[in-house]
């Protein structure tokens, strides 16, 4: 026996025994038959495999023995196939290695080394499963038509083949299509019934012992199964085959779609463009996911193909897909994708449907099981719409015009905001309009103009389209024409290129608007330009002028086509000019206008046009008059604008005209070279000409003459005074033959000129003072003495000299003039000007006389007042002699105004606010209070505290009624003395101002349990301000359990203001204006009872100030209330109450704070507990009643983290004391209104 025989025989027995086991293992690995079927036949398989094992083993031994005999007899060992295989293997593997291997290991090694031919021979020779070799060959070689035919098609396991067809992806298009078709070919309806569905039925027959079925029996079973095929009755294997066929169909559809997409890109080179990795992803995508992918990658052809061939899944999402197309892609590229509106409506549809094409006919598996393969919402669709909720409104199976309008509007704005490419947004809207989508015209117009600004204008600043849409047409023109005014040369080109284009775009929808809206826009722009510079407007008018062209000129190159518009625009522009130095340009513009004699030719015998032109020519003639007047005025260096002259005439503004002529004549007077008499007369004649031409209704010749004369007087040149005097009537008795200013007006002119000189002077030595005096002295001396105004001005001049010469007072003459009566302020400033100024008493008296100090009084009063001021200053300077002399003079002349005349008036300003008291003066009220105080006074053991008893009516009544313990507190000395007269046992007096310790007031009072009857009963009548002050003090002591509450509870029976009672009784049902933190404090600490309502007029009133001892002006009523501290307050110590007070003040600082969010800042994570306690999340602090606030505080107080909380840190940081300091408001030395004090107290927290 040679080496080959040894190797083969050694391992052959094991190979035969394991052949079927290996085959079964491979079947289990690659087949997808359900485990349920394997479990059912487990026992049968084991018995069958055991029998098969021993049978094959003995059969193999016998066959080999016979084969050995034959080989020896015939000598045919060379034809042994095993030997040939071994020879081939020895060429690749060492003999020692082969000797140590079994046949199975040798088979596995050849497979591992991809020696498929040798492995296949071994499999055939030794009965191994050939499918293992073909499967290995399939997986180790590229997928091509050849590998499909040579390896995949030879595999016997159909399910394994089908799974490979589904899962594998070929690297070229033809092979991929061949592979998918191969899978579809083995799952046709006939083959499915024969090889898959019927295969399950045959198992039942095998159980009965039938191994084969005739063709007739198979056809009969196939017909029955095909007619009775039910998904629910099918095995898992059959269902899996159906699912895979359905998937193969989808993959083939996607491959065809992908091929069409590639053909759009390059029809001649589809195979090279095929990307198997992309196809593997693409075929698993849902239709929506694929469409969105291609849209975002700007592959609009692919989107079109998907919409065409997968329309059933995509038409609902059409607008959504279009919303995902790359915004940088021009909409013109994908115009065919954009929906169109049907006009007129077809079958009730508003929008054209997309043209749908079926890729193939419905397959048997789709028609047989339609409900199984119904397309449901994919995961991508759910996630996509959750991330893009704004696109949900565009998901619709039937598009409408309104929805299209909304989409076009929003999508165009989105494109613009994301890319700033205006043309893309504009193209989209333009396509929408062409597709008959309504209501896009306004947006198109705005985008069209915006594109003009972005792409063509020279506007350099950034502008958002959202802002631009809100611009008026005027603002848009300003943006568009920015840069037009940089030079005259470019202005016309800007107007033609931008302004005219803009107007054309605005009026595009309705050409008739060009004569209305377009005309007004053009005119408004010219007017806006004319305000600053008329030269630019001149260029336009020269372009449109009829002067140098024939009447039958071409209108194509003219900016203003209508002659009537040319005249109107020119007039409006000249009037709009705000530059008075462009008079020459105005005349040039007027030269561009057509002459009146050209009207018939221009109007073409149109009566309306002729009428319109004649009216405009009349306005132009009036404008020329204004221009002539302006030309005259311009000579005097104060040119007005044309509109100013027009407005003066139209409004008949006499003061304005007078001011204009005054300005003109003043400019003449200010010239460096003095004007001669003839020049002054020429000036007057020129002004008169202006007046006659256009301003005769605004000023008369006499008024103009007065202006002329007044200018001569105010010219600051004495030589002009003589010229002016020739036109003035300087004496009331003198009569003149020539034209002069009347005497009364002469005096006014002279006084006015003198005042002007004085007011403009720096000091008494200024030259203007000399000129003022010269003006006043032009009039006759006797007339000077008669006229008080002239005398007053002369006296002022004299007083200025006295002040200048004798005192070091730095005041301008005009400041002295403006010091109001009684002008004692000036006397005081003179006395303060130097330390010895008071010694010049006579000079000061003279000044006071000239300036009429204390003009409302007689001279004695004035002199006495001035002397007393001088005497006081002398006294302060310890110049007793001068002081004595001044006093002696006062007494000598019997000046009743004494030393305190001035001092007392000043001291009244700083009087202290008087204390005001209210007390009981009505016996009926006394009895009423006593009855409310106690039902049984003799047996009442409470100590009665009475504050501010006044005349002691209540005190006496209480003592007579048997009250045992009464303590009276009075801080008014007058009433205190009266109380001391009452000599009754057990009566205690306490003077608040005596400085006695307040704690001594409560000495000798026994301590009682808190829940027993009140230890002290306090009674008092409180004024409105004291209502607030005293009750805040009481609250402070109760929170500290001090003073009134050291011995137990104190009950308060007090008259308070209505406002304070509102705070006491306020609840959440009240307005937040009254329900405040103090309301919560009141309702927490006290039981409040309203007993009586009494007008303030029934109380007695007293003030410690004589000026304030009148009856008070307290409006409204006072309320008698009883405040009894709550019994449960003994459960809370002073510190806890103070913490509660801080809790209330802070939480009610803003009563519309949410409770839970606010308290989370102090006590984190307290929200859930508060919700469990019944507090809603959205509830204000102002909605809590006092008891609810206390319960809320107790909850936090009992928390384990209370002492370590942020709240506790603040509450214990002396905040309580500091807050009460702000509450204890004391009277200030300055006068404060009672109402203001109350408001201040209301806002103390």
């Amino acid at each position: 026996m040679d080496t080959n025989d040894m190797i083969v025989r050694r391992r052959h027995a094991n190979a035969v025994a394991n052949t079927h086991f290996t085959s079964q293992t491979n079947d289990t690995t690659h087949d997808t038959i359900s485990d349920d079927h394997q479990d059912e036949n487990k026992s049968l398989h084991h018995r069958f495999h055991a029998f098969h094992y021993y049978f094959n083993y003995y059969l193999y031994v016998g066959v080999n023995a016979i084969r050995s005999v034959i080989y020896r007899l015939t000598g045919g060992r060379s034809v042994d196939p095993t030997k040939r295989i071994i020879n081939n293997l020895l060429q690749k593997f060492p003999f020692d290695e082969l000797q140590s291997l079994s046949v199975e290991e040798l088979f596995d090694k050849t497979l591992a080394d991809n020696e498929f031919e040798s492995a296949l021979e071994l499999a055939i020779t030794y009965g191994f499963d050939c499918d293992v070799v073909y499967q290995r060959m399939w997986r180790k070689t590229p997928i091509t038509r050849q590998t499909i035919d040579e390896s995949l098609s030879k595999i016997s396991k159909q399910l394994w083949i089908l799974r490979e067809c589904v899962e594998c992806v070929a690297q070229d298009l033809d092979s991929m299509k061949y592979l998918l078709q191969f899978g579809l070919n083995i799952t046709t309806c006939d083959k499915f019934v024969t090889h898959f569905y019927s295969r399950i039925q045959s198992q039942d027959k095998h159980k009965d012992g039938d191994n084969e079925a005739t063709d007739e029996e198979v056809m009969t079973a196939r017909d029955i199964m095909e007619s009775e095929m039910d998904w629910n009755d099918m095995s898992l294997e059959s269902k899996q085959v159906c699912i895979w066929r359905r998937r193969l169909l989808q993959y083939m559809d996607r491959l065809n779609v992908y091929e069409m997409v590639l053909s759009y890109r390059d029809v001649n080179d589809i195979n090279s463009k095929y990307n198997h990795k992309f196809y593997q992803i693409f075929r698993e995508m849902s239709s929506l996911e694929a469409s969105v992918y291609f849209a975002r990658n700007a592959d609009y052809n692919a989107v079109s193909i998907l919409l065409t061939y997968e329309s059933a899944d995509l038409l609902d999402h059409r607008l959504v897909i279009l919303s995902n197309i790359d915004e940088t892609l021009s909409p013109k590229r994908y115009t065919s994708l954009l929906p169109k509106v049907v006009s007129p409506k077809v079958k009730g549809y508003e929008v054209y449907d997309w043209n749908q094409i079926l890729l193939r006919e419905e397959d048997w598996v789709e028609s047989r099981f339609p409900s199984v393969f119904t397309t449901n919402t994919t995961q991508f669709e759910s996630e996509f719409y959750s991330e893009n909720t704004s696109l949900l409104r565009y998901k619709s199976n039937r598009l409408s015009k309104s929805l299209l309008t909304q989409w076009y509007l929003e999508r165009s704005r989105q494109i613009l905001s994301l890319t700033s490419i205006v043309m893309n947004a504009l193209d989209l809207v333009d396509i929408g309009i062409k597709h008959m989508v309504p209501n896009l015209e306004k947006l198109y117009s705005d985008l069209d103009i915006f594109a003009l600004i972005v792409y063509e204008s020279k506007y350099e600043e950034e502008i958002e389209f959202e802002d631009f849409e809100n611009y008026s047409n005027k603002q848009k023109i300003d943006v568009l024409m920015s840069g037009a005014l940089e030079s005259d040369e470019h202005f016309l080109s800007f107007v033609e290129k931008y302004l005219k284009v803009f107007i054309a775009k605005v009026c595009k929808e309705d050409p008739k608007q060009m004569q209305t809206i377009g005309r007004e826009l053009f005119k408004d722009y010219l007017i806006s330009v004319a305000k600053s510079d008329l030269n630019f407007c001149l260029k336009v008018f020269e372009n449109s002028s009829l002067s140098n062209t024939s009447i039958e000129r071409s209108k194509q190159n003219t900016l203003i086509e209508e002659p009537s518009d040319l005249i109107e625009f020119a007039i409006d522009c000249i009037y709009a000019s705000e530059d008075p130095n462009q008079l020459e340009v105005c005349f040039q513009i007027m030269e561009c206008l057509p002459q009146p004699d050209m009207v018939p030719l221009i109007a073409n015998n149109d009566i309306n046009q002729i009428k319109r032109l004649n009216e405009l020519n009349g306005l132009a003639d009036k404008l020329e008059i204004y221009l002539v007047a302006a030309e005259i005025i311009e000579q005097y260096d104060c040119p007005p604008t044309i509109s100013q002259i027009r407005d003066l005439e139209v409004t008949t503004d006499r003061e304005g005209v007078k001011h204009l002529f005054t300005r003109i004549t003043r400019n003449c007077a200010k010239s460096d070279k003095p004007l001669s008499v003839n020049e002054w007369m020429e000036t007057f004649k020129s002004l008169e000409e202006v007046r006659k031409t256009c301003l005769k209704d605004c000023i008369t010749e006499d008024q103009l003459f007065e202006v002329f004369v007044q200018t001569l007087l105010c010219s600051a040149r004495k030589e002009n005074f003589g010229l002016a005097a020739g036109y003035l009537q300087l004496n009331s008795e003198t009569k003149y033959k020539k034209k002069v200013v009347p005497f009364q007006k002469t005096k006014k002119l002279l006084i006015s000129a003198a005042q002007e000189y004085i007011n403009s002077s720096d000091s008494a030595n200024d030259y203007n003072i000399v000129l003022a005096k010269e003006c006043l002295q032009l009039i006759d001396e006797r007339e000077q003495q008669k006229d008080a105004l002239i005398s007053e001005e002369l006296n002022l001049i004299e007083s200025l000299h006295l002040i200048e010469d004798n005192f070091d007072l730095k005041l301008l003459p005009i400041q002295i003039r403006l010091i109001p009566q009684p002008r004692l302020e000036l006397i005081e400033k003179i006395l303060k000007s130097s330390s010895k100024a008071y010694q010049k008493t006579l000079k000061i008296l003279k000044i006071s006389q000239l300036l009429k100090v204390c003009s409302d009084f007689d001279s004695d009063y004035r002199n006495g007042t001035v002397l007393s001021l001088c005497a006081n200053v002398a006294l302060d300077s310890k110049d007793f002699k001068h002081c004595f002399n001044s006093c002696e003079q006062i007494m000598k002349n019997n000046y009743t105004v004494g030393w305190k005349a001035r001092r007392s008036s000043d001291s009244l300003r700083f009087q202290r606010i008087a204390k005001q008291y209210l007390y009981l003066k009505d016996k009926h009220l006394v009895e009423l209070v006593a009855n409310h105080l106690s039902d049984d006074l003799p047996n009442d053991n409470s100590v009665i505290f009475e504050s501010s008893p006044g005349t002691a009516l209540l005190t006496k009544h209480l003592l007579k009624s048997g009250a045992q313990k009464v303590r009276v507190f009075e801080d008014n000395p007058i009433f205190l003395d009266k109380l001391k007269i009452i000599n009754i046992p057990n009566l205690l007096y306490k003077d608040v101002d005596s400085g006695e310790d307040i704690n001594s007031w409560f000495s000798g009072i026994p301590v009682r349990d808190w829940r027993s009857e009140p230890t002290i009963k306090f009674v008092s009548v409180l004024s409105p301000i004291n209502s607030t002050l005293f009750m805040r003090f009481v609250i402070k002591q109760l929170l500290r359990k001090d003073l009134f509450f050291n011995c137990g509870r104190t009950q308060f029976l007090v008259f308070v203001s209505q406002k304070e009672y509102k705070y006491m009784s306020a609840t959440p049902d009240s307005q937040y204006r009254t329900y405040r933190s103090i309301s919560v404090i009141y309702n927490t600490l006290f039981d409040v009872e309203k007993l009586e309502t009494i007008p303030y007029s029934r109380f007695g009133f007293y003030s410690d100030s004589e000026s304030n001892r009148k009856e008070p002006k307290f409006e409204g009523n006072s309320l008698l209330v009883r405040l009894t501290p709550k019994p449960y307050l003994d459960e809370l110590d002073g510190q806890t109450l103070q913490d509660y007070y801080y809790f209330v003040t802070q939480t009610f600082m803003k009563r519309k704070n949410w409770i839970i969010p606010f308290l989370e800042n102090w006590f984190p994570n307290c929200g859930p507990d508060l919700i469990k306690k019944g507090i809603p999340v959205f509830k204000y602090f102002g909605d809590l009643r006092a008891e609810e606030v206390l319960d809320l505080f107790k909850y936090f107080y009992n928390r384990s983290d209370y002492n370590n909380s942020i709240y506790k840190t603040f509450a214990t940081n002396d905040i309580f004391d500091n807050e009460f300091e702000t509450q204890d408001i004391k009277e200030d030395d300055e006068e404060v209104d009672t109402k203001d004090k109350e408001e201040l107290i209301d806002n103390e927290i």
Side-chain angles (χ1 to χ4, degrees), residues 288-516:
L288 177 61
E289 184 178 4
S291 301
V292 171
Y293 171 81
F294 285 124
R296 290 175 177 175
N297 286 276
D299 195 343
Y300 52 90
N301 290 321
V303 175
S304 177
I305 293 170
L306 284 171
L307 285 173
T308 301
Y309 293 101
E310 299 185 16
S311 55
D313 297 330
L314 292 179
L315 286 185
D316 289 357
H317 313 284
R318 184 179 177 185
L319 292 180
V320 176
I321 295 169
L322 293 176
S323 296
N324 281 274
I325 292 181
D326 184 8
E327 288 79 8
T328 60
L329 183 67
S330 173
K332 292 181 178 179
R333 304 281 297 277
Y334 55 91
T335 302
S336 60
L337 296 177
L338 298 173
K340 300 179 182 179
V341 173
V342 177
S343 181
K345 292 183 179 179
V346 178
K347 297 180 181 180
Y349 297 163
E350 293 185 351
V351 180
Y352 282 109
D353 287 335
W354 185 263
N355 187 23
Q356 307 177 31
I357 301 176
L358 294 176
L359 273 173
R360 55 177 173 77
E361 294 182 356
E362 190 176 33
D363 189 71
W364 69 268
V365 73
E366 295 169 335
S367 61
R368 188 65 186 171
F369 309 110
S371 60
V372 175
F373 300 113
T374 301
T375 304
N376 297 321
T377 302
T378 63
Q379 181 180 0
F380 172 81
E381 181 177 344
S382 301
E383 294 176 354
F384 176 78
Y385 280 113
S386 64
E387 295 174 0
N388 302 274
T389 54
S390 60
L391 296 178
L392 268 174
R393 60 178 176 273
Y394 297 124
K395 180 183 177 182
S396 174
N397 57 2
R398 179 64 62 190
L399 301 180
S400 63
K401 290 192 292 185
S402 60
L403 186 63
L404 282 188
T405 300
Q406 182 181 359
W407 183 82
Y408 273 98
L409 293 174
E410 182 176 336
R411 181 59 179 165
S412 59
R413 287 188 170 91
Q414 186 182 31
I415 290 173
L416 185 58
S417 64
L418 294 176
T419 66
S420 298
I421 303 176
V422 185
M423 287 308 301
N424 284 359
L426 181 62
D427 289 342
L428 180 64
V429 179
D430 184 40
I431 293 170
I433 293 174
K434 292 177 181 177
H435 286 182
M436 302 180 68
V437 179
N439 302 324
L440 299 180
E441 290 76 12
K442 173 66 169 58
L443 179 60
Y444 178 82
S445 177
D446 290 338
L447 284 172
D448 196 12
I449 297 168
F450 193 63
L452 187 65
I453 292 172
V454 172
Y455 296 118
E456 298 185 29
S457 74
K458 294 185 178 181
Y459 188 72
E460 297 179 354
E461 298 182 11
E462 291 186 4
I463 180 173
E464 296 293 336
F465 180 71
E466 290 77 7
D467 300 331
F468 179 78
E469 279 188 293
N470 298 323
Y471 283 3
S472 63
N473 285 330
K474 181 180 180 304
Q475 290 174 309
K476 293 176 181 178
I477 291 175
D478 291 339
V479 172
L480 192 62
M481 295 294 288
S482 59
L485 305 181
E486 293 178 357
S487 65
D488 297 347
E489 298 142 357
H490 298 116
F491 182 72
L492 285 181
S493 64
F494 266 78
V495 173
E496 293 176 357
K497 188 176 181 180
Y498 301 129
L499 182 58
K500 298 292 285 186
V501 172
F502 172 81
I503 293 174
K505 291 181 182 295
V506 172
C507 304
K508 180 178 180 180
E509 297 300 324
D510 186 3
K512 294 181 180 179
Q513 292 182 345
M514 187 67 74
Q515 301 299 324
T516 55

Side-chain angles (χ1 to χ4, degrees), residues 663-675:
R663 191 154 56 93
I664 294 171
T665 54
R666 293 294 179 94
N667 282 350
C668 294
K670 292 177 182 178
S671 61
D672 297 335
K673 183 181 178 181
L675 273 63

Side-chain angles (χ1 to χ4, degrees), residues 715-761:
S715 61
R717 289 191 172 96
K718 286 186 178 182
E719 58 270 22
N720 291 334
F721 289 1
L723 179 60
Y727 300 104
L728 296 172
Q729 184 179 356
L730 300 175
N731 192 303
S732 59
E733 299 176 358
T734 304
K735 295 183 180 180
Y736 296 85
K737 295 181 180 180
K738 63 179 182 179
K739 182 177 181 61
V740 294
V741 178
F743 179 69
Q744 294 299 328
K745 291 185 177 180
T746 296
K747 290 194 297 181
K748 291 182 180 180
L749 292 178
L750 292 173
I751 294 172
S752 176
Q755 289 176 343
E756 185 174 334
Y757 284 128
I758 294 172
N759 294 340
S760 60
S761 60

Side-chain angles (χ1 to χ4, degrees), residues 879-1127:
D879 189 347
F880 302 113
K881 181 178 180 181
H882 188 83
C883 178
F884 175 78
N885 292 335
S886 298
C887 293
E888 186 178 18
Q889 191 172 355
I890 290 173
M891 292 183 289
K892 179 179 179 181
N893 294 300
N894 196 22
Y895 296 147
T896 56
V897 180
W899 285 87
K900 298 181 181 180
R902 180 63 178 171
R903 186 180 298 273
S904 61
S905 63
D906 287 340
S907 62
L908 289 174
R909 301 179 185 178
F910 307 103
Q911 286 184 347
R912 185 173 178 268
I913 298 175
K915 294 182 180 179
Q916 298 178 350
Y917 304 88
L918 293 178
Y919 58 91
L920 295 174
K921 66 175 183 179
D922 189 328
K923 293 183 179 180
H924 175 71
L925 286 181
V926 169
E927 294 176 358
L928 191 67
V929 172
N931 292 335
H932 284 301
L933 194 59
S934 178
D935 295 331
D936 187 7
L937 283 173
N939 298 320
D940 193 337
N941 294 323
S942 300
V943 179
I944 299 176
F945 279 27
E946 184 183 5
S947 176
S948 301
T951 56
L953 289 180
L954 178 60
T955 309
K956 296 176 182 177
H957 182 82
L958 292 174
L959 295 174
K960 289 181 180 179
S961 300
Q964 299 298 317
K965 301 175 182 178
V966 179
R967 300 194 180 189
V968 179
F969 304 92
E970 180 62 69
D971 61 346
N972 189 317
I974 297 177
F975 289 130
L976 186 61
D977 293 336
K978 294 181 178 180
L979 286 172
K980 290 180 179 179
I981 298 174
I982 305 174
N983 187 14
I984 300 175
N986 301 324
L987 182 62
L988 182 64
Y989 307 96
K990 294 295 180 184
D991 184 358
V992 174
D993 292 333
S994 65
E996 187 177 354
D997 183 12
I998 192 171
N999 288 307
S1000 62
W1001 298 1
F1002 303 92
S1003 61
I1005 298 177
V1007 177
R1008 290 185 184 177
D1009 181 73
W1010 184 267
R1011 293 181 180 265
S1012 63
E1013 290 298 319
T1015 306
I1016 301 172
K1017 292 185 178 181
F1018 182 96
V1019 61
S1020 181
V1021 182
L1022 303 175
S1023 64
I1025 181 63
N1026 286 334
S1027 297
T1028 302
L1029 290 172
F1030 179 76
M1031 291 313 302
R1032 298 299 187 275
F1033 174 79
V1034 169
I1035 290 173
K1036 174 180 178 180
Q1037 302 311 318
L1038 177 54
L1039 293 174
R1040 290 176 170 172
K1041 292 193 175 178
D1042 194 8
L1043 295 181
F1044 290 103
F1045 308 98
N1046 268 333
C1047 305
R1049 287 194 293 168
T1050 296
Q1051 187 182 83
F1052 294 87
L1053 191 69
V1054 290
F1055 288 89
V1056 298
S1057 64
Q1058 289 178 309
K1059 184 175 183 180
E1060 189 66 18
Y1061 178 74
K1062 286 181 180 179
Y1063 294 153
M1064 294 178 179
S1065 59
T1067 63
D1069 298 331
S1070 310
Q1071 296 180 354
Y1072 283 167
R1073 184 178 181 84
T1074 54
Y1075 187 63
R1076 304 182 177 187
S1077 59
I1078 192 63
S1079 305
V1080 176
I1081 296 298
Y1082 269 128
N1083 286 278
T1084 304
L1085 302 182
F1086 295 101
D1087 290 321
V1088 182
E1089 300 175 69
K1090 176 185 173 184
L1091 303 177
E1092 303 290 343
T1093 302
I1094 307 298
Y1096 275 110
S1097 58
R1098 295 185 62 182
F1099 296 107
F1101 171 77
Y1102 178 81
S1103 174
D1104 61 355
S1105 173
E1106 294 182 358
S1107 59
N1108 290 329
R1109 288 182 181 173
K1110 299 179 180 179
E1111 289 296 319
K1113 296 181 180 179
F1114 295 137
E1115 299 179 357
N1117 299 319
S1118 177
L1119 298 158
L1120 179 61
V1121 295
R1122 179 187 289 118
L1123 293 94
T1124 306
K1126 299 274 190 180

Side-chain angles (χ1 to χ4, degrees), residues 695-953:
L695 299 175
K696 60 183 178 180
D697 295 334
C698 301
I699 188 170
T700 63
E701 182 181 2
D702 292 340
Q703 291 172 334
L704 178 59
F705 188 67
E706 292 175 11
V707 171
F708 176 70
V709 174
Q710 186 179 24
T711 300
L712 293 175
L713 292 173
C714 297
S715 61
R717 289 191 172 96
K718 286 186 178 182
E719 58 270 22
N720 291 334
F721 289 1
L723 179 60
Y727 300 104
L728 296 172
Q729 184 179 356
L730 300 175
N731 192 303
S732 59
E733 299 176 358
T734 304
K735 295 183 180 180
Y736 296 85
K737 295 181 180 180
K738 63 179 182 179
K739 182 177 181 61
V740 294
V741 178
F743 179 69
Q744 294 299 328
K745 291 185 177 180
T746 296
K747 290 194 297 181
K748 291 182 180 180
L749 292 178
L750 292 173
I751 294 172
S752 176
Q755 289 176 343
E756 185 174 334
Y757 284 128
I758 294 172
N759 294 340
S760 60
S761 60
D762 295 332
S763 65
N765 297 325
D766 196 303
Y767 181 66
N768 286 336
I769 299 295
V770 178
L771 294 176
K773 195 170 184 178
E774 289 287 340
C775 281
L776 295 172
Q777 290 178 348
L778 286 176
I779 203 166
D780 187 83
E781 186 176 354
R782 289 175 298 174
E783 298 294 344
Q784 294 178 19
Q785 298 175 356
K786 293 180 182 179
D787 192 279
L789 293 177
I790 295 177
S791 299
E792 184 177 341
E793 294 303 318
L794 291 172
N795 289 340
L796 176 59
I797 293 173
E798 184 179 356
S799 65
L800 291 175
H801 285 292
L802 286 173
I803 294 172
E804 183 76 21
D805 297 339
N806 296 282
F807 303 101
D808 188 17
L809 184 63
K810 304 300 182 183
L811 287 178
L812 295 174
I814 189 173
Q815 290 179 295
I816 296 175
R817 179 194 294 278
L818 294 177
I819 294 176
Q821 288 290 345
R823 288 184 173 171
L824 291 173
E825 180 183 351
L826 175 61
I827 304 301
E828 292 175 348
K829 289 182 178 181
I830 292 174
L831 291 171
K832 293 178 181 179
S833 62
S834 66
S835 59
K836 302 296 182 182
Y838 66 90
Q839 294 180 355
K840 301 178 181 180
T841 304
L842 296 179
K843 300 292 183 182
I844 296 174
L845 287 171
K846 180 64 175 177
I847 293 171
S848 66
Q849 178 185 353
L850 292 172
L851 296 179
K852 294 184 179 180
V853 174
C854 299
S855 59
D856 295 337
F857 301 93
D858 56 16
S859 59
D860 288 348
Y861 185 89
R862 178 181 65 247
N863 293 335
T865 302
V866 172
L867 286 172
S868 63
L869 291 175
C870 294
N872 287 331
V873 174
L875 182 61
D876 293 338
S877 301
K878 298 183 179 181
D879 189 347
F880 302 113
K881 181 178 180 181
H882 188 83
C883 178
F884 175 78
N885 292 335
S886 298
C887 293
E888 186 178 18
Q889 191 172 355
I890 290 173
M891 292 183 289
K892 179 179 179 181
N893 294 300
N894 196 22
Y895 296 147
T896 56
V897 180
W899 285 87
K900 298 181 181 180
R902 180 63 178 171
R903 186 180 298 273
S904 61
S905 63
D906 287 340
S907 62
L908 289 174
R909 301 179 185 178
F910 307 103
Q911 286 184 347
R912 185 173 178 268
I913 298 175
K915 294 182 180 179
Q916 298 178 350
Y917 304 88
L918 293 178
Y919 58 91
L920 295 174
K921 66 175 183 179
D922 189 328
K923 293 183 179 180
H924 175 71
L925 286 181
V926 169
E927 294 176 358
L928 191 67
V929 172
N931 292 335
H932 284 301
L933 194 59
S934 178
D935 295 331
D936 187 7
L937 283 173
N939 298 320
D940 193 337
N941 294 323
S942 300
V943 179
I944 299 176
F945 279 27
E946 184 183 5
S947 176
S948 301
T951 56
L953 289 180

